[in-house]
C-alpha cells in the first residue's frame, strides 16, 4: 500500500486577520489547537480563563476556526470601545 498523500491546506489570511491576531496577543487572548485522541480541539485562553471547544476538528477546519476566533474577539472588543 502506498502512503496517503498529505493534502495541502489552503487558507487565505488577510492583513485584518494578522492585525486581529496581534491585537489578541497584545491583550492576552490566545487561540490554539489542542490535539486529542479523537482529533483536534480549539482552546481559547482569555486572560487566564481557558475554554475548550466541544467539537472535534480536522487540521484545516481547526486552522480556519482559529483565524475566525481571532477576528471575532478583535471585532467584539473594538465595537465596545
Amino acid at each position: 500500500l502506498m502512503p496517503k498523500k498529505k493534502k495541502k491546506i489552503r487558507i487565505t489570511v488577510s492583513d485584518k486577520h494578522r492585525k486581529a491576531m496581534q491585537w489578541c496577543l497584545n491583550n492576552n487572548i490566545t487561540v490554539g489547537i489542542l490535539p486529542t485522541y479523537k482529533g483536534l480541539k480549539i482552546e481559547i485562553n482569555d486572560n487566564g480563563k481557558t475554554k475548550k471547544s466541544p467539537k472535534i476538528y480536522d487540521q484545516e477546519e481547526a486552522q480556519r476556526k482559529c483565524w475566525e476566533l481571532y477576528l471575532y474577539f478583535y471585532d467584539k472588543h473594538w465595537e465596545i470601545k
Side-chain angles (χ1 to χ4, degrees), residues 64-79:
R64 284 185 198 280
K65 191 66 179 176
C66 285
W67 286 111
E68 188 183 304
L69 286 164
Y70 278 124
L71 278 178
Y72 167 78
F73 285 111
Y74 178 70
D75 290 341
K76 178 181 159 187
H77 288 282
W78 271 107
E79 285 171 17

Side-chain angles (χ1 to χ4, degrees), residues 34-42 53-59 61-62:
L34 196 64
T36 69
Y37 286 111
K38 294 181 180 179
L40 303 172
K41 289 191 172 209
I42 305 293
S53 65
K55 185 177 175 196
I56 301 287
Y57 296 90
D58 68 25
Q59 185 67 42
E61 286 176 320

Side-chain angles (χ1 to χ4, degrees), residues 4 16 30-31 35 38 49 55 59 64 73 81:
K4 273 189 188 176
K16 185 174 181 187
T30 59
V31 180
K38 294 181 180 179
K49 287 183 266 176
K55 185 177 175 196
Q59 185 67 42
R64 284 185 198 280
F73 285 111
K81 291 179 182 178

Side-chain angles (χ1 to χ4, degrees), residues 12-60:
T12 305
V13 179
S14 69
D15 286 341
K16 185 174 181 187
H17 284 98
R18 288 186 190 88
K19 190 175 179 181
M21 181 188 204
Q22 192 58 57
W23 182 89
C24 286
L25 295 175
N26 289 343
N27 287 277
N28 297 316
I29 300 170
T30 59
V31 180
I33 298 173
L34 196 64
T36 69
Y37 286 111
K38 294 181 180 179
L40 303 172
K41 289 191 172 209
I42 305 293
E43 183 178 66
I44 299 163
N45 184 330
D46 185 352
N47 289 286
K49 287 183 266 176
T50 60
K51 189 169 187 164
K52 291 182 187 120
S53 65
K55 185 177 175 196
I56 301 287
Y57 296 90
D58 68 25
Q59 185 67 42
E60 188 170 348

